[in-house]
Structure formats: C-alpha cells, structure tokens
Amino acid sequence: MMIVDLHCHSHYSDGTLSPHALIEQAIAHKVKLLALTDHDTCAGIQALKQASLTHASLIKVLPGIEFSVRWKKLDIHLVGLNIDVAHDKLSFYVMQQQEARLKRAHKIAESLEHLGISNAFAKVVAIAQNASIGRPHFAQLLINEKKVNHAKAAFKQYLGRGRPAYVATEWLSLAEAIAVIQAAGGMAVLAHPLKYKLTHTKLHELVMAFKAAGGQALEVVSGTSTLKERNEMSKLCQTYDLFASSGSDYHGNFSRIGLGQQSALPEECQPIWQHWII
Ligand code: AMP
Ligand code: MN
Ligand code: MN
Ligand code: MN
C-alpha cells in the first residue's frame, strides 16, 4: 500500500522540524503524499511546497491545518486537507485563532506567575521563537523551571483540562471550522477521535455532530494507535458513512514514530486520499 501521512507538525506550531526537514524525512521514509497540519496556522505551507519542488517525482504535498475547535466545553481538533491557504475567509479565521492563542498564552503565563515562575510570558516567547505559542511550549518552560521532569507531567499537573494553568478558550465552533475548510476547497477530518477520552455515547454524539455539519472523514489511524482502536474507528466510518484518514501526528525529534510510519488503514476503509491520487 502507498505510504501517506496526512497529519504532522513543523516548527511553525509545536513541531521541532522545519518544513524543509520534514520533506527530507518524508522522502527517507518513502512517503508519497504528505500534508502539513500545524495548529491553527498555515505559515509553513509555502516553505513545504518550495521544498517539495526539487523532489516532485517522489512526493506530493497537500496544504493542511489542524484547527482547535470548541465543542461542548471540550477542545477538539479538526484537520483541514487540501485547503487554499490564501482564501479570504480561511485567512480571517486563522488570524482569529492566532489572536485566541495569544490571549490564552497571556492567561496561562499569568497562572504560572502565580505558581512561582517569573516573566513566564517572555520566557515562553523565547521558547516558541517564531512559532504560534502552544501548551507544549509551556510544558518546556515548566521543565526548564524544574517544576516537572517531562512534558506529560506538565500536562497532568498544570496544563491539562481542570489543572491550575488550564485556560478555556473560545476557539471556532465545529460548524464554523468545517464550513471554512470547505469554503477554502478542502475536506474536513475529525482528528484522533479517541484522544478526547469520551464515553461511547459522547463519542457518537461528536461524530454525529461532525457529520451533520458536513464533516467528511475520521482519522482512523493516528500515531501509535492500536489495532483495536483502528477497528473501532473503521466501524464508526461505516456507521456514519465517512472517509478514513491516516497520519503520524509527527512533532519531530520527540515523537515515537516517524513520518508515514503509522499503521495501514483497515482494508474496508475508504481512504480520503483517493481524492488527490490519480
Ligand atoms: P495546544 O493546541 O496549544 O492546546 O496544545 C496541544 C498540543 O499539546 C497537542 O497537539 C500535543 O502536541 C500536545 N499535548 C497534548 N497533551 C499532551 C500530553 N499529555 N503530553 C504531551 N503533550 C501533549
Ligand atoms: Mn501538537
Ligand atoms: Mn491534535
Ligand atoms: Mn496534531
């Protein structure tokens, strides 16, 4: 089966690699179709396209994004694939999401100041450099400040939902995110549906809401998913008549699997990439 990877991150969000380095990695792993899906930004797409040009016979790239979405007080992720990054409405929403991120970063920094970290905002900006600031940058700050030993602990103790430095954020709604992805010519994928730790009922409710709003695919294979999880997602696709997507959710150096190294889709799935491969 052809190797594809429709979910990964560059240093324009919380990944560690440049788009150029991602292309090199993708080629080394024989990925034939790669989508860059940074959190709430398309800033790396131009560089990704540029880098892919010299390898046009080996790899095709798709412009993508991973939108943060607010659904019933939960933070849900929607991947938009094959979007026109210059589309007006999309650019407007991306700007709005970036403002929400910055506002949230100030609030998280404020909470961390109360917990004894001085100049938290300036420090996190120095960590994020030119990237749009995300919680993994705050996790790094907590590590630097010796509050925790690793990122997972930073989320568990400080940054995760219900923890002292968690900040509820007014992201786009599910319907807005799906509509804008499609207005920009793309397809909407519900990212890693099992990451939200929903009950069976709530998960079905989410997938139903996603489908009702025009959503097109579920990420059946994500990162290091298990066979049981992939089969469960495949079933959900059949039940709700949705395409299947697949991505490593690669974030660079610290990720457990490389680009394109996630498992194959269950056979019965309808791959979403059939739209982009001739
Ligand atoms: P944000 O979009 O800024 O809220 O950050 C979410 C990102 O944090 C996710 O895309 C992951 O890359 C990372 N993340 C979420 N939960 C954890 C965790 N428990 N441990 C390590 N990284 C996490
Ligand atoms: Mn991330
Ligand atoms: Mn995600
Ligand atoms: Mn991701």
Side-chain angles (χ1 to χ4, degrees), residues 14 39 68 77 101 104 133-136 151-152 155 171 251:
D14 56 359
H39 296 287
S68 310
H77 289 174
R101 263 186 187 271
R104 180 186 69 158
I133 302 172
R135 284 183 293 168
K152 221 180 163 87
F155 277 86
W171 304 119
H251 281 72

Side-chain angles (χ1 to χ4, degrees), residues 4 14 25 52 61 79 106 126 136 157 176-177 184 187 191 197 201 219 233-234 245-246 251 268:
V4 305
D14 56 359
Q25 290 274 320
S52 74
V61 297
V79 162
H106 278 288
Q157 293 173 39
E176 282 172 325
M187 295 185 87
K197 304 208 167 5
T201 310
E219 205 169 63
M233 289 306 95
S234 168
S245 190
S246 174
H251 281 72
E268 65 278 11

Side-chain angles (χ1 to χ4, degrees), residues 221-262:
V221 181
S222 168
T224 54
S225 58
T226 66
L227 179 63
K228 186 165 171 267
E229 289 168 342
R230 296 192 290 276
N231 286 337
E232 187 187 343
M233 289 306 95
S234 168
K235 256 202 192 138
L236 264 188
C237 285
Q238 319 303 319
T239 306
Y240 294 100
D241 189 25
L242 291 161
F243 287 103
S245 190
S246 174
S248 62
D249 207 358
Y250 184 63
H251 281 72
N253 303 341
F254 304 115
S255 288
R256 276 189 291 167
I257 60 164
L259 286 173
Q261 299 195 317
Q262 74 282 10

Side-chain angles (χ1 to χ4, degrees), residues 166-187:
Y166 176 78
V167 173
T169 308
E170 285 306 315
W171 304 119
L172 296 179
S173 72
L174 196 59
E176 282 172 325
I178 293 169
V180 75
I181 287 166
Q182 293 174 350
M187 295 185 87

